[in-house]
Amino acid sequence: MESTAKRADARRNEKALLDAAASVFVTDGVDAPVRRIAAAAGVGMGTIYRHFPTRADLVVAVYRHQVDACADAGPTLLASAASPFTALRQWVDLFADFLVTKHGLAAAMRNDPDTFTALHALFLDRLVPVLDDLLAAARNAGEVTAEFTAYQLLRAIGDICAGAEMVDAQYDPRLTIRLLLDGCR
């Protein structure tokens, strides 16, 4: 029983570490100092290196963690939102937040194209079906009438968010995404 509790505690600690790293990546990019991530997680740097021996290991783990969280949120939002379109909008907001943490991922993975390809496949395998379910529910409720695939919408949102940090201060990707979603009604 102690080992089960210990494993649960280790999982909670790893989740807290991944959440902290994701938060730091949003503000400082994937090249943020490990000491900043450790401070945000409330752990020592040794703990991070014990779980993630390289920066690439940490970046990949954060990416996987966020893909899973985004995928898991879809059914929950669909079950709890006031309407399927509201669930869709809330999920898209989560997805856009996720995309922000990807800033710098391509550069970090440049030396490991196999890992990058595997992450992209995970991204599509986990997120396209969730978005497809949300779109189907919104269509069935008559809230979305435009014909497009979940993959097309993911790509459009990704394109809107790409390079958002480099665009002038007047550019708000969330507003553009809202316009896109409103155009689907």
PDB file of all heavy atoms in Angstrom, residues 2 17 28 37 40 45 54 64 70 72 85 103 107 111 131 136 141 151 160 166 169 173 182:
ATOM      1  N   GLU A   2       1.980   1.228   0.696  1.00  0.00           N
ATOM      2  CA  GLU A   2       2.855   2.385   0.746  1.00  0.00           C
ATOM      3  C   GLU A   2       3.396   2.729  -0.633  1.00  0.00           C
ATOM      4  O   GLU A   2       3.483   3.896  -0.999  1.00  0.00           O
ATOM      5  CB  GLU A   2       4.012   2.101   1.713  1.00  0.00           C
ATOM      6  CG  GLU A   2       4.923   3.296   1.881  1.00  0.00           C
ATOM      7  CD  GLU A   2       6.023   2.997   2.870  1.00  0.00           C
ATOM      8  OE1 GLU A   2       5.734   2.411   3.924  1.00  0.00           O
ATOM      9  OE2 GLU A   2       7.163   3.351   2.567  1.00  0.00           O
ATOM     10  N   LEU A  17       5.149  19.660 -11.366  1.00  0.00           N
ATOM     11  CA  LEU A  17       6.356  20.096 -12.050  1.00  0.00           C
ATOM     12  C   LEU A  17       6.051  20.427 -13.509  1.00  0.00           C
ATOM     13  O   LEU A  17       6.501  21.458 -14.027  1.00  0.00           O
ATOM     14  CB  LEU A  17       7.413  18.994 -11.951  1.00  0.00           C
ATOM     15  CG  LEU A  17       8.833  19.390 -12.257  1.00  0.00           C
ATOM     16  CD1 LEU A  17       9.788  18.461 -11.514  1.00  0.00           C
ATOM     17  CD2 LEU A  17       9.119  19.327 -13.713  1.00  0.00           C
ATOM     18  N   ASP A  28       8.477  32.598 -20.630  1.00  0.00           N
ATOM     19  CA  ASP A  28       9.911  32.678 -20.935  1.00  0.00           C
ATOM     20  C   ASP A  28      10.362  31.787 -22.086  1.00  0.00           C
ATOM     21  O   ASP A  28      11.549  31.793 -22.413  1.00  0.00           O
ATOM     22  CB  ASP A  28      10.729  32.306 -19.696  1.00  0.00           C
ATOM     23  CG  ASP A  28      10.469  33.246 -18.533  1.00  0.00           C
ATOM     24  OD1 ASP A  28       9.913  34.335 -18.747  1.00  0.00           O
ATOM     25  OD2 ASP A  28      10.822  32.890 -17.398  1.00  0.00           O
ATOM     26  N   ILE A  37      12.033  27.188 -13.344  1.00  0.00           N
ATOM     27  CA  ILE A  37      11.011  26.129 -13.354  1.00  0.00           C
ATOM     28  C   ILE A  37      10.961  25.452 -11.985  1.00  0.00           C
ATOM     29  O   ILE A  37       9.890  25.211 -11.430  1.00  0.00           O
ATOM     30  CB  ILE A  37      11.303  25.108 -14.471  1.00  0.00           C
ATOM     31  CG1 ILE A  37      11.194  25.796 -15.843  1.00  0.00           C
ATOM     32  CG2 ILE A  37      10.357  23.911 -14.381  1.00  0.00           C
ATOM     33  CD1 ILE A  37      11.759  24.983 -16.993  1.00  0.00           C
ATOM     34  N   ALA A  40       9.216  27.693  -9.517  1.00  0.00           N
ATOM     35  CA  ALA A  40       7.766  27.710  -9.764  1.00  0.00           C
ATOM     36  C   ALA A  40       7.103  26.424  -9.285  1.00  0.00           C
ATOM     37  O   ALA A  40       5.959  26.440  -8.835  1.00  0.00           O
ATOM     38  CB  ALA A  40       7.478  27.934 -11.248  1.00  0.00           C
ATOM     39  N   MET A  45      16.395  21.799  -8.167  1.00  0.00           N
ATOM     40  CA  MET A  45      16.788  21.515  -9.552  1.00  0.00           C
ATOM     41  C   MET A  45      17.111  20.036  -9.735  1.00  0.00           C
ATOM     42  O   MET A  45      16.851  19.476 -10.802  1.00  0.00           O
ATOM     43  CB  MET A  45      17.971  22.396  -9.954  1.00  0.00           C
ATOM     44  CG  MET A  45      17.539  23.832 -10.143  1.00  0.00           C
ATOM     45  SD  MET A  45      18.840  25.011 -10.584  1.00  0.00           S
ATOM     46  CE  MET A  45      19.904  24.132 -11.646  1.00  0.00           C
ATOM     47  N   THR A  54      17.308  15.800 -19.566  1.00  0.00           N
ATOM     48  CA  THR A  54      17.672  16.841 -20.527  1.00  0.00           C
ATOM     49  C   THR A  54      16.508  17.815 -20.687  1.00  0.00           C
ATOM     50  O   THR A  54      15.356  17.489 -20.381  1.00  0.00           O
ATOM     51  CB  THR A  54      18.001  16.251 -21.912  1.00  0.00           C
ATOM     52  OG1 THR A  54      16.805  15.717 -22.490  1.00  0.00           O
ATOM     53  CG2 THR A  54      19.069  15.159 -21.830  1.00  0.00           C
ATOM     54  N   ARG A  64       3.442  16.491 -24.037  1.00  0.00           N
ATOM     55  CA  ARG A  64       2.560  15.325 -23.881  1.00  0.00           C
ATOM     56  C   ARG A  64       1.508  15.566 -22.805  1.00  0.00           C
ATOM     57  O   ARG A  64       0.332  15.247 -22.970  1.00  0.00           O
ATOM     58  CB  ARG A  64       3.364  14.079 -23.552  1.00  0.00           C
ATOM     59  CG  ARG A  64       4.159  13.539 -24.696  1.00  0.00           C
ATOM     60  CD  ARG A  64       4.973  12.304 -24.241  1.00  0.00           C
ATOM     61  NE  ARG A  64       5.760  11.790 -25.310  1.00  0.00           N
ATOM     62  CZ  ARG A  64       5.316  10.940 -26.232  1.00  0.00           C
ATOM     63  NH1 ARG A  64       4.072  10.513 -26.174  1.00  0.00           N
ATOM     64  NH2 ARG A  64       6.095  10.521 -27.194  1.00  0.00           N
ATOM     65  N   CYS A  70      -5.612  18.628 -22.696  1.00  0.00           N
ATOM     66  CA  CYS A  70      -6.512  19.225 -23.682  1.00  0.00           C
ATOM     67  C   CYS A  70      -7.496  18.174 -24.210  1.00  0.00           C
ATOM     68  O   CYS A  70      -8.694  18.439 -24.332  1.00  0.00           O
ATOM     69  CB  CYS A  70      -5.683  19.824 -24.815  1.00  0.00           C
ATOM     70  SG  CYS A  70      -6.549  21.032 -25.827  1.00  0.00           S
ATOM     71  N   ASP A  72      -8.455  15.404 -22.681  1.00  0.00           N
ATOM     72  CA  ASP A  72      -9.348  14.995 -21.600  1.00  0.00           C
ATOM     73  C   ASP A  72     -10.417  16.043 -21.305  1.00  0.00           C
ATOM     74  O   ASP A  72     -11.505  15.717 -20.821  1.00  0.00           O
ATOM     75  CB  ASP A  72      -8.551  14.712 -20.326  1.00  0.00           C
ATOM     76  CG  ASP A  72      -7.636  13.498 -20.456  1.00  0.00           C
ATOM     77  OD1 ASP A  72      -7.833  12.687 -21.400  1.00  0.00           O
ATOM     78  OD2 ASP A  72      -6.711  13.365 -19.626  1.00  0.00           O
ATOM     79  N   PHE A  85     -21.908  24.420 -28.518  1.00  0.00           N
ATOM     80  CA  PHE A  85     -21.062  25.484 -29.061  1.00  0.00           C
ATOM     81  C   PHE A  85     -20.257  26.161 -27.957  1.00  0.00           C
ATOM     82  O   PHE A  85     -19.093  26.515 -28.150  1.00  0.00           O
ATOM     83  CB  PHE A  85     -21.890  26.523 -29.829  1.00  0.00           C
ATOM     84  CG  PHE A  85     -21.025  27.505 -30.575  1.00  0.00           C
ATOM     85  CD1 PHE A  85     -20.445  27.155 -31.789  1.00  0.00           C
ATOM     86  CD2 PHE A  85     -20.771  28.764 -30.054  1.00  0.00           C
ATOM     87  CE1 PHE A  85     -19.631  28.044 -32.473  1.00  0.00           C
ATOM     88  CE2 PHE A  85     -19.966  29.666 -30.733  1.00  0.00           C
ATOM     89  CZ  PHE A  85     -19.390  29.301 -31.945  1.00  0.00           C
ATOM     90  N   HIS A 103       5.519  27.602 -28.086  1.00  0.00           N
ATOM     91  CA  HIS A 103       6.493  28.574 -28.561  1.00  0.00           C
ATOM     92  C   HIS A 103       7.904  28.053 -28.308  1.00  0.00           C
ATOM     93  O   HIS A 103       8.271  27.743 -27.197  1.00  0.00           O
ATOM     94  CB  HIS A 103       6.290  29.907 -27.839  1.00  0.00           C
ATOM     95  CG  HIS A 103       7.377  30.891 -28.065  1.00  0.00           C
ATOM     96  ND1 HIS A 103       7.641  31.411 -29.294  1.00  0.00           N
ATOM     97  CD2 HIS A 103       8.281  31.417 -27.217  1.00  0.00           C
ATOM     98  CE1 HIS A 103       8.662  32.233 -29.192  1.00  0.00           C
ATOM     99  NE2 HIS A 103       9.065  32.248 -27.949  1.00  0.00           N
ATOM    100  N   ALA A 107      12.203  24.783 -32.424  1.00  0.00           N
ATOM    101  CA  ALA A 107      13.638  25.044 -32.280  1.00  0.00           C
ATOM    102  C   ALA A 107      14.267  24.067 -31.295  1.00  0.00           C
ATOM    103  O   ALA A 107      15.375  23.574 -31.524  1.00  0.00           O
ATOM    104  CB  ALA A 107      13.864  26.482 -31.834  1.00  0.00           C
ATOM    105  N   ASN A 111      17.127  19.221 -33.379  1.00  0.00           N
ATOM    106  CA  ASN A 111      18.143  18.168 -33.439  1.00  0.00           C
ATOM    107  C   ASN A 111      17.568  16.774 -33.242  1.00  0.00           C
ATOM    108  O   ASN A 111      18.325  15.802 -33.216  1.00  0.00           O
ATOM    109  CB  ASN A 111      19.242  18.431 -32.397  1.00  0.00           C
ATOM    110  CG  ASN A 111      20.018  19.687 -32.704  1.00  0.00           C
ATOM    111  OD1 ASN A 111      20.167  20.055 -33.865  1.00  0.00           O
ATOM    112  ND2 ASN A 111      20.488  20.354 -31.666  1.00  0.00           N
ATOM    113  N   LEU A 131     -11.946  17.182 -30.989  1.00  0.00           N
ATOM    114  CA  LEU A 131     -12.560  18.310 -31.683  1.00  0.00           C
ATOM    115  C   LEU A 131     -13.666  17.832 -32.619  1.00  0.00           C
ATOM    116  O   LEU A 131     -14.708  18.480 -32.743  1.00  0.00           O
ATOM    117  CB  LEU A 131     -11.513  19.120 -32.451  1.00  0.00           C
ATOM    118  CG  LEU A 131     -12.021  20.376 -33.157  1.00  0.00           C
ATOM    119  CD1 LEU A 131     -12.798  21.297 -32.213  1.00  0.00           C
ATOM    120  CD2 LEU A 131     -10.869  21.108 -33.808  1.00  0.00           C
ATOM    121  N   ALA A 136     -19.325  17.673 -33.961  1.00  0.00           N
ATOM    122  CA  ALA A 136     -20.512  16.862 -34.248  1.00  0.00           C
ATOM    123  C   ALA A 136     -21.656  17.247 -33.317  1.00  0.00           C
ATOM    124  O   ALA A 136     -22.804  17.394 -33.762  1.00  0.00           O
ATOM    125  CB  ALA A 136     -20.187  15.376 -34.123  1.00  0.00           C
ATOM    126  N   ALA A 141     -26.793  20.069 -32.745  1.00  0.00           N
ATOM    127  CA  ALA A 141     -27.625  21.047 -32.046  1.00  0.00           C
ATOM    128  C   ALA A 141     -27.979  22.235 -32.945  1.00  0.00           C
ATOM    129  O   ALA A 141     -28.677  23.152 -32.513  1.00  0.00           O
ATOM    130  CB  ALA A 141     -26.899  21.543 -30.797  1.00  0.00           C
ATOM    131  N   TYR A 151      -9.692  18.615 -38.383  1.00  0.00           N
ATOM    132  CA  TYR A 151      -8.294  18.865 -38.736  1.00  0.00           C
ATOM    133  C   TYR A 151      -8.136  20.259 -39.342  1.00  0.00           C
ATOM    134  O   TYR A 151      -7.211  20.995 -39.002  1.00  0.00           O
ATOM    135  CB  TYR A 151      -7.793  17.797 -39.707  1.00  0.00           C
ATOM    136  CG  TYR A 151      -6.379  18.047 -40.169  1.00  0.00           C
ATOM    137  CD1 TYR A 151      -5.295  17.764 -39.333  1.00  0.00           C
ATOM    138  CD2 TYR A 151      -6.124  18.585 -41.431  1.00  0.00           C
ATOM    139  CE1 TYR A 151      -3.998  18.001 -39.750  1.00  0.00           C
ATOM    140  CE2 TYR A 151      -4.825  18.831 -41.841  1.00  0.00           C
ATOM    141  CZ  TYR A 151      -3.765  18.534 -41.006  1.00  0.00           C
ATOM    142  OH  TYR A 151      -2.482  18.783 -41.415  1.00  0.00           O
ATOM    143  N   ILE A 160      -3.519  30.899 -36.840  1.00  0.00           N
ATOM    144  CA  ILE A 160      -3.841  32.168 -36.185  1.00  0.00           C
ATOM    145  C   ILE A 160      -2.879  32.431 -35.022  1.00  0.00           C
ATOM    146  O   ILE A 160      -2.435  33.557 -34.813  1.00  0.00           O
ATOM    147  CB  ILE A 160      -5.306  32.182 -35.703  1.00  0.00           C
ATOM    148  CG1 ILE A 160      -6.252  32.249 -36.903  1.00  0.00           C
ATOM    149  CG2 ILE A 160      -5.568  33.334 -34.731  1.00  0.00           C
ATOM    150  CD1 ILE A 160      -7.704  31.968 -36.564  1.00  0.00           C
ATOM    151  N   MET A 166       5.238  37.560 -32.065  1.00  0.00           N
ATOM    152  CA  MET A 166       6.074  38.410 -32.906  1.00  0.00           C
ATOM    153  C   MET A 166       5.259  39.510 -33.608  1.00  0.00           C
ATOM    154  O   MET A 166       5.818  40.416 -34.187  1.00  0.00           O
ATOM    155  CB  MET A 166       6.769  37.575 -33.961  1.00  0.00           C
ATOM    156  CG  MET A 166       7.687  36.533 -33.400  1.00  0.00           C
ATOM    157  SD  MET A 166       8.231  35.497 -34.752  1.00  0.00           S
ATOM    158  CE  MET A 166       9.860  35.085 -34.188  1.00  0.00           C
ATOM    159  N   ALA A 169       1.485  44.677 -31.072  1.00  0.00           N
ATOM    160  CA  ALA A 169       0.690  44.600 -29.843  1.00  0.00           C
ATOM    161  C   ALA A 169      -0.809  44.688 -30.102  1.00  0.00           C
ATOM    162  O   ALA A 169      -1.602  44.321 -29.244  1.00  0.00           O
ATOM    163  CB  ALA A 169       1.125  45.700 -28.882  1.00  0.00           C
ATOM    164  N   PRO A 173      -4.778  37.111 -31.047  1.00  0.00           N
ATOM    165  CA  PRO A 173      -5.213  35.862 -31.686  1.00  0.00           C
ATOM    166  C   PRO A 173      -6.552  35.357 -31.149  1.00  0.00           C
ATOM    167  O   PRO A 173      -7.325  34.767 -31.879  1.00  0.00           O
ATOM    168  CB  PRO A 173      -4.079  34.887 -31.391  1.00  0.00           C
ATOM    169  CG  PRO A 173      -3.232  35.509 -30.354  1.00  0.00           C
ATOM    170  CD  PRO A 173      -3.492  36.973 -30.382  1.00  0.00           C
ATOM    171  N   ASP A 182     -17.287  32.269 -34.730  1.00  0.00           N
ATOM    172  CA  ASP A 182     -18.585  32.896 -35.025  1.00  0.00           C
ATOM    173  C   ASP A 182     -18.960  32.713 -36.484  1.00  0.00           C
ATOM    174  O   ASP A 182     -20.140  32.572 -36.809  1.00  0.00           O
ATOM    175  CB  ASP A 182     -18.561  34.382 -34.659  1.00  0.00           C
ATOM    176  CG  ASP A 182     -18.567  34.604 -33.142  1.00  0.00           C
ATOM    177  OD1 ASP A 182     -18.858  33.640 -32.399  1.00  0.00           O
ATOM    178  OD2 ASP A 182     -18.274  35.737 -32.720  1.00  0.00           O
TER     179      ASP A 182
END
